[in-house]
Amino acid sequence: MALGSVQDGVLILDLTKNQKEKISISNGLQNKTVLALFFDRENNLWLGLDNGIDCIHLNSSLFSLYGSRSFIGSGYASCYFNGKLYLGTNQGLYITEFPQSLNEEVSMQFVHKTEGQVWSLMEYDRKLFCCSE
């Protein structure tokens, strides 16, 4: 059995062996928002994600192609406000210093209590508004 989530990948349950396994961006998925699931005839698990499709080969001895890359999700909105760049994603709102130096890793900070889809950002009356779930 497979259970998809919006915030942390997929949970795979083997009910006969009483085992569970979580697969998310930390161990191979390109995005942690699972919108659809399908087992094929060869027992592969296909996932419809927010920004693509992944296939988990459940009988494979290989575990992760990409390792533990960190992703902030699919981008939906951005706004430059008070010297900072705000990025609204399907996982929540992130903030970073702006401008950034080229060829340097960007440090993104998650904005507390903004989990979920961010649809838009707008500055009004010297305040930043975030439209989200």
Side-chain angles (χ1 to χ4, degrees):
M1 177 185 292
L3 305 169
S5 77
V6 174
Q7 289 293 322
D8 206 10
V10 63
L11 184 64
I12 301 171
L13 306 170
D14 186 332
L15 301 176
T16 59
K17 297 178 183 176
N18 199 27
Q19 295 176 338
K20 64 181 175 181
E21 180 177 4
K22 183 173 90 171
I23 301 176
S24 191
I25 58 172
S26 63
N27 57 356
L29 292 186
Q30 61 180 317
N31 181 275
K32 62 184 178 178
T33 301
V34 178
L35 302 174
L37 302 150
F38 175 76
F39 286 99
D40 67 16
R41 290 182 206 164
E42 284 135 26
N43 202 33
N44 298 312
L45 178 59
W46 291 86
L47 306 175
L49 306 175
D50 188 57
N51 66 342
I53 298 171
D54 275 356
C55 181
I56 301 171
H57 299 273
L58 296 171
N59 296 321
S60 174
S61 58
L62 297 177
F63 188 71
S64 172
L65 177 62
Y66 296 110
S68 59
R69 295 190 308 187
S70 176
F71 289 95
I72 64 169
S74 298
Y76 285 85
S78 64
C79 185
Y80 179 74
F81 179 74
N82 285 346
K84 308 240 185 222
L85 180 62
Y86 290 81
L87 300 172
T89 76
N90 67 312
Q91 302 298 316
L93 183 63
Y94 292 82
I95 185 173
T96 188
E97 295 295 323
F98 191 82
Q100 293 285 330
S101 299
L102 293 176
N103 300 321
E104 192 174 293
E105 186 171 325
V106 176
S107 174
M108 302 296 298
Q109 301 297 318
F110 181 74
V111 178
H112 184 63
K113 294 188 178 184
T114 64
E115 294 87 2
Q117 179 78 48
V118 173
W119 296 107
S120 65
L121 298 167
M122 185 181 87
E123 181 181 353
Y124 179 77
D125 197 24
R126 295 187 304 267
K127 295 178 184 136
L128 182 63
F129 290 85
C130 174
C131 175
S132 65
E133 306 185 324

